Amino acid sequence: MRSQVLSKVKKIVIKIGTGVLTTDNGYLDKEQIKGLAGQVVELKKMGYRVVVVSSGAIGSGMGELGIGKRPGTLPELQAVAAIGQSKLISMYDACFKLHGYHAAQILLTREDFEDRQRYLNTCNTIHTLFQLNAIPVVNENDTISVEEIKFGDNDALSAMVTNLLNAELLIILSSVDGLYDRCPTAKNKATVIPVVEDVSDEIKQLAFNSKTQRGVGGMQTKLEAVSVVVKAGEAVIIANGRTDKVLKRIVQGEDMGTLFLPKKEKLANRKRWIGFTIKPKGKIYVDDGAMSALTEKGKSLLATGIVSVEGAFDKGDTISICKKGDGAIFAKGLTNYSSKEIEKIKGCSTSSITKILGYKLYDEIIHRDNMVIL
């Protein structure tokens, strides 16, 4: 199964966690970064297009400043990141130069993904770097990010980069060997699950908290990232970043870490952007008939199936489509009408829209081509 999945891989996103890059006292582990850089270059020479999503800026800054505990306020985090980011990219660049390559720093915020033009520009830049003797090293722009535009953790960022590039494989290098079947303790021996076919609620319950003082995410954030990537049709492997020659062994099909299998249907780039990148501006709730038409028959959303509207949004915004009753979000899409307009025409037939509004922009509230079933 691994061989079958890996045989289709051409582009790889490698997310490297803070715990993999730093020593116990918080400083960047140069030998570790040197080893990983060598492995990344080896993958590139094997013909893979490789992007590194690296944590470690804040952890590095903490180490430089002698801070033992992660700062709790945004200004402090931004200041520490400003100190640590230069150290981080300088070390990557020095390690890649040993092999004749450069580290190409790319700092992103959520806004860069949500703005369609900037999203495409980022994609074009990375694809251009693939043609050069350079390795893209992506990190969140912690120095300027505010709460509204933060990813929250680099696991989420790595999932977005994977979808941005339509990369067939995301490798998440962590300080654990993979997803365990139970909480590992001194008395309780846990086993790594080799393959996961579906990120179900049962699987999500195995997300035991193992985050470090310098890191943000634990297994929970990793599984959230995994869920986004596999739903888009790509594979993910979580493995221990300190295992010897881990990257080469993974691509050669060795049974390392946990492999999460992709859904069979690959989503087009634009649908990945709609479904997993843009934050929804509001919600609409639909009846059972509309839900069935959308999920089982591949139909567009019409006004007649809408029960209620939540939030204020404009034409062209991304909104969530929810099931009435339990409110479960089952789809996202770009709306053809504003929240105020939908409030007036909800539950009405398409033919009556002109009479109610005085005009009709579209028959559909959300067209099937602008919708993603989650």
Side-chain angles (χ1 to χ4, degrees), residues 28-57:
L28 289 176
D29 187 338
K30 186 171 182 178
E31 287 304 309
Q32 174 68 0
I33 295 177
K34 183 178 176 181
L36 288 169
Q39 292 182 58
V40 169
V41 170
E42 194 167 5
L43 294 192
K44 190 169 176 69
K45 289 182 177 179
M46 292 169 69
Y48 295 104
R49 295 182 168 191
V50 186
V51 175
V52 173
V53 175
S54 179
S55 300

Side-chain angles (χ1 to χ4, degrees), residues 16-18 21-22 26 28 54-61 84-85 88 139 154:
I16 308 176
T18 301
L21 296 173
T22 54
L28 289 176
S54 179
S55 300
I58 292 175
S60 171
Q85 183 61 41
L88 179 67
N139 197 357
N154 272 357

Side-chain angles (χ1 to χ4, degrees), residues 81-92:
I83 294 168
Q85 183 61 41
S86 61
K87 301 290 183 183
L88 179 67
I89 197 64
S90 294
M91 193 167 291
Y92 268 116

Side-chain angles (χ1 to χ4, degrees), residues 287-307:
D287 58 30
D288 293 339
M291 181 177 178
S292 175
L294 299 180
T295 58
E296 298 173 17
K297 301 176 183 178
K299 301 292 186 179
S300 298
L301 177 63
L302 304 179
T304 184
I306 298 176
V307 176

Side-chain angles (χ1 to χ4, degrees), residues 2 15 36 47 53-54 74 96 167 180 244 276 301 332:
R2 280 182 181 249
K15 187 268 178 176
L36 288 169
V53 175
S54 179
L74 187 59
F96 283 134
Y180 294 110
D244 186 48
F276 304 111
L301 177 63
K332 291 181 184 177

Side-chain angles (χ1 to χ4, degrees), residues 283-340:
K283 297 179 179 179
I284 52 177
Y285 296 82
V286 302
D287 58 30
D288 293 339
M291 181 177 178
S292 175
L294 299 180
T295 58
E296 298 173 17
K297 301 176 183 178
K299 301 292 186 179
S300 298
L301 177 63
L302 304 179
T304 184
I306 298 176
V307 176
S308 61
V309 184
E310 182 179 310
F313 50 85
D314 296 318
K315 173 190 172 184
D317 284 341
T318 297
I319 59 175
S320 298
I321 307 173
C322 310
K323 181 183 177 182
K324 72 169 186 178
D326 62 11
I329 299 172
F330 68 88
K332 291 181 184 177
L334 302 180
T335 177
N336 289 328
Y337 291 88
S338 70
S339 54
K340 291 181 179 179

